């Protein structure tokens, strides 16, 4: 489980680039400003949050912490930040919602037809999830060599693999169908180019989520922070821009906000 948690795809080049893109940015600190009264709160899909941070969706979190997503929900509620639940994380959509009165978003890996997706949307809305996310950078599962070398068989992969052809077949037509049918805010997670960001905005997506899956899918991409400014420029304020990928501490968050991100995912 440790190698699964810490590792990435293939040579883990994108994992390194996520951090390098952040570490290559320096602050230009201004001084003698009155900062005796600070307010780090923000708005998240119209709701006030303590910090402009969300707990990014982590598959198989139950293998890392007892209680899995329910434990994360309790932490999110205590610290006043939103949680995005992965559809391949236990104890599942309903039980996680019952665990805490927190701000929550549901993220789906598509493993079925349109009716299957619609059922998840209904369940998410019924259980107080304020937005819905489609992750679009996992058309095919990556080669994660730490897992291969360690012979680590992820307990949740059997569930995740079944119906994987539906995820591989996702297209912008599916995004259009979703927006035409459902009135819930839609997040597209896995945008890595300004060209795709523009297409997302054209489809009426509420949130463009810049992510390379933490360097765990397509290797040799750019770091998320390197991509962020051109995505923000392409979106032109027509949608919110969120980002994740190597963000670990407050200084990282400040850099993302300065580059135009509205929220930062930490995993």
């Amino acid at each position: 489980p440790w190698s699964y948690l810490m590792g990435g795809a293939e040579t883990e080049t994108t994992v390194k680039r996520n951090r390098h893109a952040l570490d290559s940015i320096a602050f230009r600190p201004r001084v003698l400003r009155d900062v005796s009264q600070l307010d780090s709160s923000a708005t998240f899909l119209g709701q006030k949050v303590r910090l402009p941070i969300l707990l990014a969706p982590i598959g198989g979190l139950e293998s890392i912490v007892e209680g899995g997503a329910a434990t994360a929900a309790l932490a999110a509620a205590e610290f006043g930040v939103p949680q995005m639940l992965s559809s391949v994380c236990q104890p599942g959509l309903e039980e996680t919602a019952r665990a805490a009165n927190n701000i929550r978003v549901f993220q789906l890996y598509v493993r079925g037809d349109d009716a299957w997706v619609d059922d998840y949307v209904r369940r998410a809305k019924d259980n107080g999830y304020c937005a819905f996310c489609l992750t679009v950078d996992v058309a095919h599962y990556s080669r994660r060599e730490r897992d291969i070398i360690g012979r680590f068989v992820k307990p949740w992969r059997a569930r995740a693999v079944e119906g994987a052809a539906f995820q591989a077949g996702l297209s912008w037509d599916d995004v259009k169908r979703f927006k035409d049918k459902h009135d819930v805010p839609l997040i597209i997670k896995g945008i890595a180019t300004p060209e795709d960001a523009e297409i997302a905005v054209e489809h009426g997506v509420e949130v463009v989520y810049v992510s390379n899956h933490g360097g765990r899918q397509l290797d040799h991409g750019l770091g998320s922070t390197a991509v962020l400014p051109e995505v923000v420029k392409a979106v032109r304020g027509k949608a919110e821009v969120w980002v994740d990928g190597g963000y670990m501490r407050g200084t990282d968050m400040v850099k993302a906000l300065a580059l135009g991100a509205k929220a930062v995912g930490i995993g």
Side-chain angles (χ1 to χ4, degrees):
W2 178 254
S3 291
Y4 165 75
L5 177 65
M6 299 304 295
E10 299 183 353
T11 58
E12 300 184 345
T13 299
T14 304
V15 176
K16 299 181 184 75
R17 286 177 178 173
N18 276 339
R19 273 312 310 177
H20 178 72
L22 277 162
D23 293 339
S24 64
I25 298 173
F27 289 133
R28 293 169 53 87
R30 303 297 300 275
V31 298
L32 290 172
R33 305 301 200 270
D34 184 352
V35 291
S36 57
Q37 301 295 322
L38 298 177
D39 181 4
S40 58
S41 65
T43 57
F44 181 87
L45 297 175
Q47 302 183 68
K48 187 174 181 179
V49 292
R50 181 178 170 188
L51 295 166
I53 288 170
L54 71 145
L55 303 188
I58 301 174
L61 186 58
E62 66 277 2
S63 292
I64 300 163
V65 62
E66 186 177 354
T71 301
L74 289 167
E78 179 180 350
F79 285 92
V81 297
Q83 173 196 24
M84 183 180 284
L85 172 66
S86 168
S87 62
V88 290
C89 185
Q90 295 302 311
L93 186 159
E94 286 85 2
E95 192 170 335
T96 300
R98 287 193 291 268
N101 184 24
N102 63 336
I103 298 173
R104 48 188 175 266
V105 175
F106 186 74
Q107 174 268 323
L108 183 68
Y109 292 110
V110 179
R111 295 291 185 262
D113 60 12
D114 292 345
W116 185 91
V117 173
D118 293 343
D119 180 63
Y120 265 98
V121 177
R122 177 191 58 77
R123 290 166 56 197
K125 292 175 67 176
D126 288 348
N127 285 273
Y129 292 81
C130 66
F132 202 87
C133 175
L134 293 175
T135 295
V136 295
D137 58 1
V138 286
H140 295 281
Y141 195 75
S142 60
R143 179 178 174 84
R144 303 184 186 179
E145 294 179 2
R146 293 196 198 208
D147 292 345
I148 295 169
I149 292 167
R151 296 186 174 91
F152 177 52
V153 179
K154 294 171 279 295
W156 59 93
R157 277 295 290 161
R159 299 191 307 271
V161 169
E162 185 177 347
F166 288 101
Q167 182 79 32
L170 275 183
S171 72
W172 289 110
D173 289 340
D174 296 290
V175 176
K176 182 181 185 305
R177 191 198 75 85
F178 186 102
K179 293 300 300 176
D180 288 344
K181 185 174 180 63
H182 301 293
D183 59 358
V184 62
L186 179 62
I187 302 148
I188 298 295
K189 180 176 183 289
I191 298 293
T193 64
E195 292 87 353
D196 280 343
E198 287 184 1
I199 298 172
V201 170
E202 290 169 0
H203 282 74
V205 169
E206 281 80 6
V207 178
V208 173
Y209 193 148
V210 177
S211 178
N212 51 43
H213 221 90
R216 301 159 73 80
Q217 274 302 117
L218 176 66
D219 201 14
H220 295 275
L222 290 171
S224 292
T225 306
V227 174
L228 180 58
E230 57 184 4
V231 168
V232 170
K233 183 178 179 181
V235 168
R236 302 192 306 279
K238 296 180 180 179
E240 291 190 9
V241 178
W242 300 354
V243 66
D244 69 19
Y247 293 88
M248 297 180 178
R249 58 191 72 248
T251 45
D252 297 340
M253 313 301 165
V254 171
K255 292 175 183 181
L257 296 174
L259 294 173
K262 183 76 171 177
V264 182
I266 56 174

